Amino acid sequence: MKQPRGAVFERVYAWVRRVPRGKVVTYGQLSELVDGRVTPVGVGWALAGAPPDLPWHRVVNARGAISPHGEPEMQRARLEAEGVRFGADGRIDLQAYGWRPRRRQANRP
DNA sequence: CCATTGACGAAGA
DNA sequence: TTCTTCGCCAATG
């Protein structure tokens, strides 16, 4: 179950790759981006088998915090390297760093 | 086909 | 605001 491969996952990956540097996206947003075909939990499943080239570190939960998954330290380090600030409680201000995607053209990249 | 699990979210207490 | 409960879809055994 390390590397799930499915059509649904590819969509999640494609959206994650569109997240610009210095911005973050939540699981719930990704769920919306794929038009509800994937629940937040499904997104988590997709990222569990995410390819190494995927910027999965830009995906955080609705609270703006990093969910435990293996090495949250690396994720935080990468985000900080992109200019994302963390609060004292380890949370990100989604109002400032949350990515607002445009689902104009491609809902299915 | 059924039960369980998971890097989650929203609503209720 | 924090904790609990429920629900969601996909994958695994």
Side-chain angles (χ1 to χ4, degrees):
Chain A
M1 85 171 8
K2 204 70 175 176
Q3 296 179 339
R5 297 294 181 186
V8 198
F9 299 115
E10 293 302 329
R11 298 195 180 196
V12 176
Y13 299 155
W15 277 111
V16 173
R17 291 193 185 94
R18 294 188 177 186
V19 180
R21 214 168 144 278
K23 294 288 182 180
V24 297
V25 65
T26 66
Y27 292 89
Q29 284 182 348
L30 288 174
S31 178
E32 291 288 335
L33 287 172
V34 288
D35 209 19
R37 297 179 186 283
V38 181
T39 59
V41 184
V43 173
W45 250 100
L47 294 181
D53 58 295
L54 191 81
W56 52 267
H57 57 278
R58 293 177 190 151
V59 183
V60 297
N61 57 25
R63 295 176 182 171
I66 298 175
S67 300
H69 57 286
E71 298 200 72
E73 300 178 3
M74 182 175 69
Q75 181 172 3
R76 174 166 179 163
R78 287 191 178 187
L79 288 175
E80 288 181 327
E82 296 180 352
V84 178
R85 291 188 192 178
F86 282 76
D89 52 358
R91 294 187 192 177
I92 301 172
D93 183 7
L94 294 179
Q95 294 285 346
Y97 301 105
W99 177 51
R100 289 87 132 99
R102 286 204 171 221
R103 40 182 318 177
R104 280 277 164 150
Q105 298 192 342
N107 186 359
R108 42 172 193 189

